[in-house]
Amino acid sequence: MAFYVTTPIYYVNAEPHLGHAYTTIAADVLARHMRQRGEEVFFLTGTDEHGEPVTQAAEKLGITPRELGDRNAVHFRELAAKVNATNDFFIRTTDPEHEAVVAEVVTRIHDNGHVYEGTYEGWYCPRCADFKTDSELVDGNKCPIHLIVLEREKEDNWFFRLSAFQEPLERLYTERSDFVVPEIRFNEALSFIKGGLRDLSLSRARLKWGVPVPWDGSQVIYVWIDALLNYYSALSYARHGEDLTGRFWPASVHLIGKDILKFHAVIWPALLMAAEIDVPERVGIHGYLLMGEHKMSKSLGNVIDPFQVVDVYGEDALRFYVLREVRFGHDGEVSPEGFEQRYTSELANEYGNLASRTLAMIGRYRDGLVPKAEAATDLAVHFDGLAEQVCAELDRVELTLALDAVWQRVKRLNAYVQDEQPWKLAKDAGGAEQLDSVLYGLAEGLRVVSVLLLPYMPAAAERLLAALGAGERSLDSARFGAVGGGARIGEPGQLFPRVEPPEASAA
Ligand code: MSP
């Protein structure tokens, strides 16, 4: 089976921040998890480099949009590596191969009769690269997302007959109740469709920075249509000399933030239908990471720098934090204080200490060999169905619920140590058999949770699995009791050492 997961492609008009790292981390968790399930995975991320937001930002800096793209694409590529993302390709919409596919697909949409010439007038936000309806405006005539005053714009454009796809889209939503998850976003997209669809500009006349309209060199393709097509174009040239489209299209899941729902859940499937290309299987929507009450964004100046957090705490801690603190799919607040709190109480204490205590006791009491013993049924029972539960949650893009299911078992193992007090058993000559069972149960429990945590915290979980002498990483091996005792343990070092918070983030 093939699994194809994507992130949005990020605008190169700004430097990356934690909001961008968030989607990349989430997509990486799904990619790693599906590889553990034995699927053939393709994971795509990249940068969105055409259009007005990039042109305007470049103008401000006195450089060309291409120079700005070259400069900032590097940082987004670095961010993916920094959070340990295993993307198979990094697409840039300035890649000539991508531009060729855009020209080809819009030509097909044109030839299929879904494009006409017309005039558009409306409120335009250059930062969204999108027109706004009267009802969307806030404070008179401001963009609801960027809170900047909008101008009324009038343009002669080529139009995409989006309105003609109202019925096919409604049918799609009726037939596939999980086309968009979570449900609240499904309902939002469907009511947008039912509210009536207006045709959409397919091109821009005033802009120069984009893919030329194949049949009209005076205009460029609207940046959103160019950008959405990245998901499809990438497969045709990501691997040299090979076209992966047949293997991986349609995409299994597009992960995106809620601000770009309409583009992915309405416009994108309509464009694909118009071009007679299969629509994706699912669109998974996440909420905003907030600081204070506001969406974290460079323009509002309230950002956590993911590069700095990773330098100080490591990428596993950042990956864990963003997916644990805010329920995926919902909005939620993040803060340096909240981060440090979870780092200490959950990563260092609940997981790190549990691991080091367990390994130390096996070293001290059993000469470094995991005892060959039976685990207590009342411990084993807590792991029944866990791997299946994680799979089911991740299939619904519930990344936080899946992580929580695993973490409840981490807490359970901690409670088990407290209940059994193995250090007391070790002093009691009659407690040897019980101690064997407790130590085996702890090692096996730690092994199972670590296999399931690999997608979330790949480096730390891998170090612990190696120290437990565990060979298997597949999801099949995440069953309690799948591995018996006998392994020789090693030394993982401190998984989450104490760190001094950096001055800058404390300020
Ligand atoms: N270029 C378009 C996407 C084109 S996809 C065909 C774009 N780029 S973006 O860089 O502005 O945003 C990319 C993603 O980052 C969006 O999904 C957005 O929701 C997400 N985030 C940016 N800031 C965010 C937070 N503070 N919190 C969570 N995600 C947010 O839109």
Side-chain angles (χ1 to χ4, degrees), residues 69-131:
D70 288 345
R71 193 186 282 180
N72 279 347
V74 175
H75 298 151
F76 282 96
R77 215 188 269 269
E78 281 168 356
L79 179 66
K82 193 84 181 174
V83 299
N84 205 359
T86 52
N87 52 298
D88 294 282
F89 190 58
F90 188 97
I91 190 170
R92 299 180 57 186
T93 52
T94 45
D95 293 342
E97 297 92 335
H98 165 76
E99 295 183 354
V101 173
V102 172
E104 182 193 314
V105 176
V106 297
T107 301
R108 213 185 312 165
I109 294 173
H110 174 266
D111 294 350
N112 284 347
H114 303 300
V115 175
Y116 65 94
E117 210 169 4
T119 303
Y120 197 90
E121 190 181 346
W123 300 101
Y124 185 73
C125 175
R127 296 264 284 285
C128 291
D130 192 16
F131 284 96

Side-chain angles (χ1 to χ4, degrees), residues 8-9 11 17 20 48 224 231 257 259-260 286-287 289 295-296:
I9 46 172
Y11 280 133
H17 63 68
H20 306 120
D48 188 352
W224 264 103
Y231 302 130
D259 49 339
I260 53 179
H286 64 73
L289 298 181
K295 176 186 175 193
M296 186 186 297

Side-chain angles (χ1 to χ4, degrees), residues 6 28 44 54 100 115 142 146 167 274 297 332 340 400 433 455 488:
T6 66
D28 191 53
L44 179 71
V54 178
V115 175
K142 287 188 181 164
H146 295 98
E167 258 187 57
S297 83
E340 279 150 29
T400 304
E433 208 178 314
R488 173 155 298 283

Side-chain angles (χ1 to χ4, degrees), residues 72-359:
N72 279 347
V74 175
H75 298 151
F76 282 96
R77 215 188 269 269
E78 281 168 356
L79 179 66
K82 193 84 181 174
V83 299
N84 205 359
T86 52
N87 52 298
D88 294 282
F89 190 58
F90 188 97
I91 190 170
R92 299 180 57 186
T93 52
T94 45
D95 293 342
E97 297 92 335
H98 165 76
E99 295 183 354
V101 173
V102 172
E104 182 193 314
V105 176
V106 297
T107 301
R108 213 185 312 165
I109 294 173
H110 174 266
D111 294 350
N112 284 347
H114 303 300
V115 175
Y116 65 94
E117 210 169 4
T119 303
Y120 197 90
E121 190 181 346
W123 300 101
Y124 185 73
C125 175
R127 296 264 284 285
C128 291
D130 192 16
F131 284 96
K132 304 283 161 187
T133 60
D134 286 337
S135 63
E136 282 175 306
L137 300 181
V138 295
D139 292 346
N141 56 353
K142 287 188 181 164
C143 166
I145 293 170
H146 295 98
L147 305 176
I148 52 171
V149 175
L150 304 186
E151 314 257 314
R152 263 190 104 70
E153 302 270 354
K154 192 171 171 190
E155 247 191 44
D156 293 331
N157 293 144
W158 292 96
F159 277 78
F160 169 55
R161 223 179 277 282
L162 181 61
S163 57
F165 289 87
Q166 171 132 1
E167 258 187 57
L169 285 170
E170 284 185 20
R171 209 172 319 128
L172 171 70
Y173 277 68
T174 309
E175 282 165 10
R176 299 200 356 215
S177 62
D178 57 357
F179 178 61
V180 174
V181 291
E183 200 183 351
I184 170 179
R185 301 293 165 213
F186 177 96
N187 293 336
E188 186 181 329
L190 182 57
S191 71
F192 183 85
I193 295 166
K194 287 194 163 153
L197 297 177
R198 287 185 312 167
D199 291 344
L200 172 84
S201 301
L202 181 116
S203 64
R204 287 282 180 275
R206 283 174 297 117
L207 265 189
K208 295 276 164 289
W209 182 233
V211 180
V213 174
W215 59 90
D216 174 1
S218 72
Q219 304 212 17
V220 296
I221 299 294
Y222 175 37
V223 62
W224 264 103
I225 291 179
D226 167 1
L228 286 163
L229 280 165
N230 92 88
Y231 302 130
Y232 181 70
S233 71
L235 295 177
S236 68
Y237 70 97
R239 215 164 279 165
H240 198 67
E242 213 182 333
D243 188 342
L244 300 173
T245 315
R247 209 139 99 219
F248 290 104
W249 194 263
S252 310
V253 56
H254 296 308
L255 287 187
I256 59 160
K258 67 179 188 181
D259 49 339
I260 53 179
L261 173 71
K262 179 182 75 182
F263 294 102
H264 286 80
V266 182
I267 297 172
W268 180 225
L271 280 172
L272 289 169
M273 288 173 186
E276 296 169 294
I277 299 171
D278 286 342
V279 302
E281 279 160 31
R282 190 160 304 169
V283 186
I285 322 290
H286 64 73
Y288 289 157
L289 298 181
L290 309 170
M291 282 193 85
E293 281 162 20
H294 296 286
K295 176 186 175 193
M296 186 186 297
S297 83
K298 207 76 186 185
S299 51
L300 296 174
N302 57 338
V303 290
I304 290 183
D305 178 0
F307 290 97
Q308 193 190 20
V309 177
V310 171
D311 282 342
V312 178
Y313 294 92
E315 73 280 1
D316 284 343
L318 179 69
R319 295 167 64 106
F320 173 81
Y321 177 68
V322 289
L323 294 173
R324 178 106 174 111
E325 182 80 353
V326 178
R327 175 155 167 205
F328 199 75
H330 296 235
D331 291 351
E333 233 184 284
V334 292
S335 68
E337 298 74 28
F339 177 86
E340 279 150 29
Q341 160 75 23
R342 287 222 186 247
Y343 182 86
T344 305
S345 68
E346 298 192 325
L347 291 179
N349 291 346
E350 289 177 352
Y351 187 62
N353 271 354
L354 175 71
S356 51
R357 287 168 88 188
T358 302
L359 291 167

Side-chain angles (χ1 to χ4, degrees), residues 301-450:
N302 57 338
V303 290
I304 290 183
D305 178 0
F307 290 97
Q308 193 190 20
V309 177
V310 171
D311 282 342
V312 178
Y313 294 92
E315 73 280 1
D316 284 343
L318 179 69
R319 295 167 64 106
F320 173 81
Y321 177 68
V322 289
L323 294 173
R324 178 106 174 111
E325 182 80 353
V326 178
R327 175 155 167 205
F328 199 75
H330 296 235
D331 291 351
E333 233 184 284
V334 292
S335 68
E337 298 74 28
F339 177 86
E340 279 150 29
Q341 160 75 23
R342 287 222 186 247
Y343 182 86
T344 305
S345 68
E346 298 192 325
L347 291 179
N349 291 346
E350 289 177 352
Y351 187 62
N353 271 354
L354 175 71
S356 51
R357 287 168 88 188
T358 302
L359 291 167
M361 289 190 290
I362 293 172
R364 193 170 326 128
Y365 306 140
R366 292 296 178 261
D367 292 327
L369 286 180
V370 178
K372 290 188 174 165
E374 284 283 316
T377 328
D378 59 355
L379 176 66
V381 73
H382 289 284
F383 292 83
D384 282 354
L386 176 60
E388 291 76 9
Q389 187 187 351
V390 167
C391 291
E393 296 293 10
L394 290 181
D395 285 345
R396 297 188 297 129
V397 200
E398 289 285 3
L399 282 91
T400 304
L401 296 187
L403 177 56
D404 190 54
V406 182
W407 211 259
Q408 282 173 27
R409 276 58 179 200
V410 172
K411 287 183 189 289
R412 183 64 235 144
L413 290 167
N414 274 288
Y416 186 64
V417 177
Q418 285 316 311
D419 293 347
E420 296 298 327
Q421 311 230 333
W423 48 93
K424 283 197 181 150
L425 292 172
K427 285 190 194 136
D428 174 1
E433 208 178 314
Q434 170 76 352
L435 182 59
D436 279 346
S437 167
V438 170
L439 292 180
Y440 167 69
L442 287 173
E444 182 60 359
L446 268 175
R447 186 190 66 77
V448 170
V449 294
S450 298

